[in-house]
Amino acid sequence: MTRRTAGSNDRTTATPGGSPAVATGTPDGGWVSFVGSGPGDPGLLTVRALDLLRAADVVVTEAPDHELLVRSVLGIPTPTVVTDEDGNETVVDEGPVFLDGGFGEDGQPLTHAARAKVVLKPAKAGKHVVRLMTGDPFLYASGPEEAQACVKAGIGFEIVPGVSSATAVPAYAGIPLTTRSHREVTVVACTDKVDWSQYADGRTLVLLSSVGPIADVAAALVAAGRAATTPVAMTRVGTTTEQLTVTSTLENIAADARAAKIQPPAVTVVGEVVDLRETLSWFETKPLFGWRVLVPRTKDQAGPLSARLRGYGGVPEEVPTISVEPPRNPQQMDKAVRGLVEGRYEWIAFTSANAVRAVREKFEEYGLDARAFSGLKIAAVGDKTAEAIAAWGLRADLVPTGEQSAAGLLEVWPEYDEVLDPINRVFLPRADIATENLVAGLIDLGWECDDVTAYRTVRAAPPAAPVRDAIKTGKFDAVVFTSSSTVRNLVGIAGKPHPSTVIAVIGPATAKTAEEHGLRVDVMAPSPSAEVLADALADFGAARRLALVESGQPVTKPSDRKTASRRKVSN
């Protein structure tokens, strides 16, 4: 038997005036929020949409990727299955209940009436339902029909507009729909018979559902009086990193779109404004646009780097290569923490955010807090470690001003002075694989060190077979290594990246390890920071793109090793 448990139904929900209320769990408490999800980019969700998703008991989706989108933006983990002693399985899910409002169990699209039933059933049971709809609920969507069903059933509802693909996709393609010279724009859905003779003038046209009928539409517009050379742009999966735009003319768009293998969903723009794309294209010209970037890191540390890569148009794929585990023998750490509390040390030196976390967890285990650091001097190997210390409510007394490494820390570390320093001992909580350079350097400066294993770095399990294949065959455009251990572990669990893959490293030590494993280092961050590493890779991508453009070659990705076709695809 399988059961599903979810969070409490006493969720904060929204009322017509926007003021919060609590769902009562009765039919009278039912409420439906029709929310536009936008055209695809999660960043285009409105603030109101996020608030309602957080408060929802039930989310009725429309597109296959909607559940993943909601879990991603709200940070909701995927469901887990727990089996009890009797063999009963319970699906534990922290988020709302997800219902498919787009397709039935047979895989066929639901009718408006069937969709309305999916929405109304939980609402009648007193639930706060968010009906998530692609684009805008009231623009070329089934929102009006489903809202009318709510009225008929006596269920309260609200409309939360979303960014429509009719405006967002051209904007992401660098095509303004209106200018001082072209002030009129018309949006046309090509799903039914259209009298194209009424669009013979020079107004801008935005065509939806146009991929299939584009040949007939273009011919009809030319027959109506539009010039065969009228510019046309067709953009598929707009606002996502898979976006592809084909620019052409009315007489050639059908053949060019077919050559480019354009598939729905796509938005087509007809008119002179298309010519402005040549100078205004901003999204598809991002330095890492569409690059599939491998991020081999400890899973909980990949967030900032991945976010930075997305900002440059990259598609990061996080593959855990290291698992941070407690030390096998915790007694050494226990003894050191007791010594810290008793005033045994003059300094504590943190060489990573993981070390800060390990000590903090040990403090919490003993019921201690940051007050135990009173009178103790704190050193951090770099800014990121100092930030982790600051998050604990502490301030690092010593951070390298130059190179942020063990060598850099030794350069600024003071010599032991028996007059000024009442205690000559340093507590050094580190990983089990840390080198001895820092300890040796501190001893040379007159200090005694308690080099304690605070955590172990363990090689993670190999990634799935498709990921391993992608690494070896060059389907990743770049890989970013943030430490020597990520190099060793990735090669160990998945093999060496293909020679076509761009190798980016966080510093000289990581570069040396990569070269020792037979990898060619293409990019090295000027300072040891994950964000700076992403910036350096973006600079490399921008320079590569510029070189291709200046040489008259098509803009490709490192993984595109085949000769590009001659279709006119603008990037």
Side-chain angles (χ1 to χ4, degrees), residues 305-391:
L305 177 56
S306 293
R308 193 77 155 213
L309 292 169
R310 289 190 191 97
Y312 287 118
V315 185
E317 188 166 331
E318 299 167 5
V319 176
T321 59
I322 301 173
S323 176
V324 176
E325 305 288 346
R328 287 192 175 89
N329 185 356
Q331 294 179 355
Q332 188 184 27
M333 188 69 168
D334 293 339
K335 180 180 178 181
V337 169
R338 286 197 299 270
L340 185 151
V341 175
E342 295 168 356
R344 175 180 172 82
Y345 301 104
E346 180 75 7
W347 283 92
I348 181 171
F350 291 107
T351 58
S352 69
N354 283 328
V356 178
R357 184 181 300 110
V359 174
R360 188 171 182 174
E361 289 175 353
K362 185 62 66 172
F363 266 49
E364 292 171 354
E365 180 182 328
Y366 281 118
L368 302 171
D369 57 31
R371 289 175 293 183
F373 282 87
S374 177
L376 185 69
K377 296 175 184 176
I378 304 173
V381 75
D383 294 333
K384 292 300 179 184
T385 304
E387 289 175 8
I389 294 170

Side-chain angles (χ1 to χ4, degrees), residues 92-453:
V92 180
D93 193 351
E94 298 177 11
V97 175
F98 288 92
L99 300 177
D100 188 350
F103 299 87
E105 294 182 357
D106 57 359
Q108 297 301 309
L110 296 176
T111 63
H112 292 326
R115 292 182 178 187
K117 289 181 180 178
V118 174
V119 173
L120 289 175
K121 184 175 180 180
K124 288 179 178 178
K127 305 297 184 183
H128 174 204
V129 179
V130 167
R131 173 62 165 116
L132 200 59
M133 312 188 86
T134 301
D136 181 274
F138 271 20
L139 185 62
Y140 296 102
S142 61
E145 290 83 0
E146 295 179 31
Q148 287 175 335
C150 289
V151 173
K152 185 176 180 180
I155 298 294
F157 69 92
E158 65 180 312
I159 306 298
V160 181
V163 178
S164 172
S165 61
T167 56
V169 172
Y172 269 58
I175 302 172
L177 298 183
T178 59
T179 66
R180 287 185 297 177
S181 304
H182 302 84
R183 297 179 178 273
E184 188 174 355
V185 59
T186 300
V187 181
V188 184
C190 304
T191 51
D192 299 312
K193 290 184 178 181
V194 178
D195 179 9
W196 295 105
S197 64
Q198 61 182 312
Y199 304 118
D201 53 20
R203 82 183 87 169
T204 299
L205 299 179
V206 178
L207 309 180
L208 306 179
S209 303
S210 58
V211 176
I214 190 60
D216 293 337
V217 170
L221 287 171
V222 172
R226 288 259 186 165
T229 56
T230 301
V232 180
M234 182 178 286
T235 303
R236 69 174 300 273
V237 288
T239 79
T240 74
T241 51
E242 296 179 15
Q243 177 175 311
L244 175 68
T245 300
V246 173
T247 54
S248 185
T249 60
L250 280 176
E251 63 182 342
N252 295 322
I253 183 59
D256 288 343
R258 186 167 54 252
K261 298 181 180 180
I262 297 291
Q263 297 290 330
V267 174
T268 302
V269 179
V270 179
E272 300 301 325
V273 294
V274 170
D275 287 339
L276 290 171
R277 169 177 162 79
E278 186 172 342
T279 55
L280 297 181
S281 179
W282 63 274
F283 184 57
E284 292 169 63
T285 57
K286 286 190 172 187
L288 301 178
F289 180 76
W291 283 35
R292 187 181 179 188
V293 183
L294 180 66
V295 184
R297 297 198 72 189
T298 304
K299 185 65 176 178
D300 61 352
Q301 293 180 333
L305 177 56
S306 293
R308 193 77 155 213
L309 292 169
R310 289 190 191 97
Y312 287 118
V315 185
E317 188 166 331
E318 299 167 5
V319 176
T321 59
I322 301 173
S323 176
V324 176
E325 305 288 346
R328 287 192 175 89
N329 185 356
Q331 294 179 355
Q332 188 184 27
M333 188 69 168
D334 293 339
K335 180 180 178 181
V337 169
R338 286 197 299 270
L340 185 151
V341 175
E342 295 168 356
R344 175 180 172 82
Y345 301 104
E346 180 75 7
W347 283 92
I348 181 171
F350 291 107
T351 58
S352 69
N354 283 328
V356 178
R357 184 181 300 110
V359 174
R360 188 171 182 174
E361 289 175 353
K362 185 62 66 172
F363 266 49
E364 292 171 354
E365 180 182 328
Y366 281 118
L368 302 171
D369 57 31
R371 289 175 293 183
F373 282 87
S374 177
L376 185 69
K377 296 175 184 176
I378 304 173
V381 75
D383 294 333
K384 292 300 179 184
T385 304
E387 289 175 8
I389 294 170
W392 196 358
L394 301 169
R395 181 179 60 84
D397 300 284
L398 185 66
V399 182
T401 54
E403 180 183 342
Q404 298 192 342
S405 64
L409 186 58
L410 285 172
E411 287 181 4
V412 297
W413 197 286
E415 289 189 23
Y416 170 68
D417 188 319
E418 60 182 9
V419 176
L420 299 177
D421 301 309
I423 306 171
N424 73 334
R425 189 168 292 275
V426 178
F427 175 23
L428 194 58
R430 301 197 295 169
D432 58 331
I433 59 173
T435 64
E436 299 299 320
N437 296 345
L438 181 56
V439 173
L442 290 174
I443 292 174
D444 289 342
L445 291 171
W447 298 92
E448 294 185 14
C449 291
D450 282 355
D451 187 10
V452 177
T453 298

